Amino acid sequence: MDKVTCIVVGAGPAGSACAYALARKGIETVLLERGRVPGEKNVSSFVLYTSELKRLIPEFRKDLPFERTVVRTDQVQLEPNDAKALTSYNYQWVDDPLAFTAYRRKFDAWFARKAVDEGVQLISGMKVNNLIKDGDQVVGVRVGDEELYADVVVGADGFHSVVGEKSGLITTWKPERCFLAVKEVLDLPSDVINERFQVADGIGCEQGIYCYHMNDLDVFSATLYTNVDSVSLAVFARLDELQKKNIQLHEQLEFFKQHPYVDNLIKGAKLREYQAHLLPDGGRVKPENLYADGVLLCGEAGGITATVTGMGIPTCLLSGMMAAETIGDAVKQKDFSKRSLKNYLKYLDSTALLAMVHKSRKESDYYASAARLEGPREMEAAADIYNQYWETDVMYISKHSFSLLVELYLRIGQYHLPGLLRWPLTALVKLSRLPAKLVEKIKKRLRKRYYEWKGQPAGR
Amino acid sequence: MSGKASLPVDEKMATVKIKIDKDAHITVKKERCQDCPTRPCLVICTAENYQWDEKKGELVFNYEGCLECGACRIICPRDAIEWSYPKGGYGVKYRFG
């Protein structure tokens, strides 16, 4: 009977980060991956921001397998017959890069290898089928006919998390909280990319594109970024919208590619690979369901990712690091029960990660409600979302500190209080939010009036 | 913005490498699909793996061409689709994810 201290399921950014950090602490760790090599199952839909990676591996730039260094960032707003774009060049990123474009097949393999170099045992081509339980305590995993035992199991196994489901932490899925994405990698010669995107060799461009009123979908988003000799193009839409409107997302992608703005950029490009992925909206799992006896969830499995803000990889990575911190404490105390692993929430709070996730979820709600007045506002909103990331390292808690504190309290804080204290305090906090809600309601009504006056449909 | 031939999904799928397992990782309780009013799986699947066979009057599907997004499982209103990731080492192999 094999027994280790920790089994991490899934060698994506969250799993590899967790395993790497655990190995650094000298904790015996096994990393399981269902692909034959890490990264071959994974699809990324945006560029790779590296603040968190730098925190974990300061010298990562030495051998990071990347395609281009991102210097040009665009926010684009498309409607059937027009396009508005806001382009910015961040030349300080030429020498001190913050973001890279990369293929996950190479990046994830590199990251897992880093963990292996630290002493992690990586086993690829192994899919976890079930968990082994002793009462409520999870004590290991079942891979095919084999059993592997551990003090604690970390579920970093993606959207359809086996660990999450078998441990009972994930029970439901709501289509309205899922984004479906399809992506195409399109061959385009390097010099053509340089010319069309107006960038130098080795310098890349990322574009976040919001599309309105195209082909029956009120709103959907897209991303476009440049690799060395290809362009990655992805479109996203909420699952329930697609269902309601009876729209095939890959048809939508074709429609999107025919928009003059997009067509100009990708003209003549040949399809290299077609991909699809499902993303959880921020906060799929309630914070109190991120941990149980002998189990922690991180990354997409726990829904700790900020889909709409394009920060999926960094947020997943950070949650993996925090899971490792939690386990580090648990190992010291030799206690792997739910009570001990509850520290996970404290660590997540220390990074404002949950607030970020919650924010992402709100943004996605915002974009889903297509009833807005004019164009520029949407551009501003887009700029705001994406600027929030580098405003501060630990995700912009100062600017919105009060409302964030309120949200934090409602989402997490209140569960730490005894009932007698909780009820009156929660009622008070909720009351303090009421005026904002009222203002929102009045605004909504005014918008409706405005549309009636203009003779246009008011959206939903 | 119109008149151009768009790429059919079969041609897109030709660019994807898949190692096919002989055991299916998708099973469908087909009797539940009979009176399903919307059948969203036909629309949602990014590889168009689900089709309605008018002659037989039942759902036919092809697990070999699965891109492993798992949207079908989330969207199915009848809970008829049992979907899990394929066995370790099998299934889709993205080279440029």
Side-chain angles (χ1 to χ4, degrees):
Chain A
M1 185 171 82
D2 291 335
K3 183 166 185 288
V4 293
T5 311
C6 180
I7 296 173
V8 180
V9 185
S16 289
C18 183
Y20 181 93
L22 284 171
R24 267 289 168 96
K25 292 176 190 297
I27 295 168
E28 194 189 4
T29 308
V30 170
L31 182 58
L32 297 174
E33 164 61 38
R34 71 184 175 95
R36 286 189 319 157
V37 272
E40 73 171 15
K41 294 291 180 185
N42 301 348
V43 180
S44 94
S45 46
F46 207 50
V47 302
L48 169 70
Y49 287 91
T50 52
S51 298
E52 282 69 27
L53 185 60
K54 199 172 181 176
R55 223 188 275 181
L56 189 67
I57 312 177
E59 71 289 0
F60 74 95
R61 270 179 64 195
K62 258 194 284 178
D63 53 353
L64 178 78
F66 68 95
E67 293 286 308
R68 285 177 187 247
T69 309
V70 176
V71 167
R72 177 179 162 175
T73 56
D74 286 19
Q75 293 141 55
V76 186
Q77 181 187 319
L78 290 190
E79 287 190 58
N81 293 312
D82 73 44
K84 296 185 186 74
L86 183 68
T87 299
S88 48
Y89 287 91
N90 299 282
Y91 293 115
Q92 77 270 23
W93 292 351
V94 176
D95 297 325
D96 184 20
L98 178 68
F100 300 92
T101 59
Y103 293 129
R104 291 291 294 279
R105 169 68 185 75
K106 286 182 186 163
F107 172 72
D108 288 13
W110 168 85
F111 201 1
R113 206 170 53 237
K114 285 275 164 200
V116 170
D117 289 346
E118 292 296 327
V120 171
Q121 195 189 342
L122 171 70
I123 307 176
S124 301
M126 289 293 180
K127 189 194 144 203
V128 170
N129 298 324
N130 211 337
L131 297 175
I132 307 166
K133 285 187 182 178
D134 178 11
D136 281 340
Q137 182 83 19
V138 173
V139 292
V141 297
R142 198 160 279 139
V143 182
D145 302 329
E146 285 177 49
E147 291 180 341
L148 190 56
Y149 290 86
D151 289 327
V152 57
V153 176
V154 177
D157 45 349
F159 191 99
H160 304 279
S161 169
V162 175
V163 176
E165 284 162 27
K166 299 291 181 190
S167 61
L169 290 173
I170 300 175
T171 46
T172 54
W173 306 266
K174 290 179 185 152
E176 63 269 27
R177 298 256 73 114
C178 300
F179 282 86
L180 186 59
V182 293
K183 181 173 140 203
E184 286 186 359
V185 180
L186 300 155
D187 267 328
L188 212 56
S190 183
D191 49 329
V192 176
I193 291 180
N194 293 355
E195 194 191 312
R196 287 191 191 168
F197 291 89
Q198 297 176 359
V199 288
D201 274 336
I203 301 296
C205 167
E206 59 164 43
Q207 303 200 348
I209 306 173
Y210 298 93
C211 313
Y212 295 96
H213 312 297
M214 275 163 69
N215 192 16
D216 292 343
L217 266 190
D218 288 337
V219 58
F220 70 96
S221 57
T223 56
L224 193 162
Y225 56 93
T226 57
N227 306 309
V228 170
D229 55 358
S230 69
V231 170
S232 297
L233 182 71
V235 297
F236 311 76
R238 275 186 18 180
L239 215 46
D240 62 324
E241 291 270 310
L242 291 171
Q243 181 192 13
K244 233 183 287 167
K245 303 268 167 68
N246 225 19
I247 292 173
Q248 290 183 313
L249 191 58
H250 45 279
E251 296 257 303
Q252 189 74 16
L253 174 67
E254 288 302 314
F255 192 81
F256 171 75
K257 278 163 70 183
Q258 287 170 16
H259 190 287
Y261 176 86
V262 185
D263 186 45
N264 274 335
L265 293 174
I266 60 164
K267 229 178 333 200
K270 200 174 144 276
L271 180 63
R272 188 188 286 185
E273 195 169 62
Y274 174 62
Q275 300 152 359
H277 192 64
L278 198 60
L279 303 116
D281 189 351
R284 177 168 68 135
V285 181
K286 282 185 186 159
E288 63 270 26
N289 279 350
L290 287 173
Y291 57 93
D293 290 314
V295 193
L296 286 176
L297 297 183
C298 56
E300 255 180 28
I304 315 179
T305 131
T307 309
V308 180
T309 54
M311 294 299 155
I313 295 174
T315 41
C316 286
L317 203 149
L318 195 56
S319 72
M321 285 161 68
M322 293 306 122
E325 293 296 323
T326 315
I327 294 167
D329 289 357
V331 168
K332 266 181 217 154
Q333 292 159 11
K334 294 194 174 63
D335 179 5
F336 300 95
S337 67
K338 191 172 175 174
R339 213 185 35 167
S340 151
L341 296 179
K342 198 176 174 182
N343 278 335
Y344 188 34
L345 288 188
K346 276 186 201 151
Y347 279 112
L348 288 177
D349 277 357
S350 74
T351 63
L353 197 51
L354 290 180
M356 173 86 174
V357 168
H358 189 52
K359 182 85 186 158
S360 157
R361 182 178 174 141
K362 284 236 162 136
E363 296 305 1
S364 93
D365 286 345
Y366 172 79
Y367 281 107
S369 67
R372 268 160 311 232
L373 283 178
E374 324 101 270
R377 241 208 239 190
E378 290 157 358
M379 283 301 287
E380 272 166 38
D384 188 44
I385 301 178
Y386 118 118
N387 281 337
Q388 68 183 246
Y389 182 70
W390 38 88
E391 262 176 19
T392 62
D393 191 16
V394 193
M395 295 157 185
Y396 103 142
I397 200 151
S398 59
K399 193 170 157 192
H400 305 271
S401 49
F402 180 71
S403 61
L404 256 183
L405 272 181
V406 167
E407 294 301 331
L408 267 177
Y409 169 77
L410 285 176
R411 277 183 69 72
I412 306 145
Q414 60 168 325
Y415 302 111
H416 296 284
L417 291 180
L420 211 61
L421 254 172
R422 189 201 302 171
W423 297 116
L425 203 55
T426 304
L428 256 175
V429 170
K430 280 192 174 165
L431 263 179
S432 80
R433 290 206 310 180
L434 259 186
K437 276 199 171 160
L438 264 172
V439 170
E440 219 19 70
K441 215 170 179 181
I442 293 167
K443 271 191 190 165
K444 212 170 172 184
R445 195 168 281 180
L446 280 177
R447 261 178 224 153
K448 206 175 157 195
R449 284 266 174 81
Y450 175 82
Y451 274 112
E452 277 167 10
W453 171 67
K454 273 189 84 177
Q456 284 175 359
R460 281 187 296 127
Chain B
M1 262 189 74
S2 62
K4 260 179 249 173
S6 60
L7 206 57
V9 87
D10 311 353
E11 282 179 41
K12 290 186 193 216
M13 289 303 293
T15 64
V16 187
K17 272 195 173 180
I18 296 177
K19 187 176 176 192
I20 297 169
D21 189 359
K22 57 182 192 306
D23 303 325
H25 64 285
I26 307 174
T27 48
V28 180
K29 297 181 182 120
K30 291 185 180 177
E31 66 283 359
R32 295 195 187 178
C33 308
Q34 290 302 330
D35 56 344
C36 178
T38 51
R39 292 184 194 133
C41 54
L42 307 182
V43 177
I44 288 296
C45 179
T46 47
E48 294 184 17
N49 282 336
Y50 294 91
Q51 302 288 342
W52 188 258
D53 190 331
E54 288 293 345
K55 273 187 205 155
K56 286 191 205 160
E58 67 171 28
L59 190 82
V60 289
F61 67 98
N62 141 30
Y63 74 91
E64 292 99 333
C66 179
L67 291 175
E68 297 174 29
C69 71
C72 50
R73 149 188 211 223
I74 309 291
I75 206 75
C76 180
R78 292 289 156 101
D79 228 349
I81 299 176
E82 263 177 45
W83 185 100
S84 67
Y85 287 127
K87 233 187 288 168
Y90 286 91
V92 72
K93 278 191 274 190
Y94 291 126
R95 291 156 297 159
F96 304 100

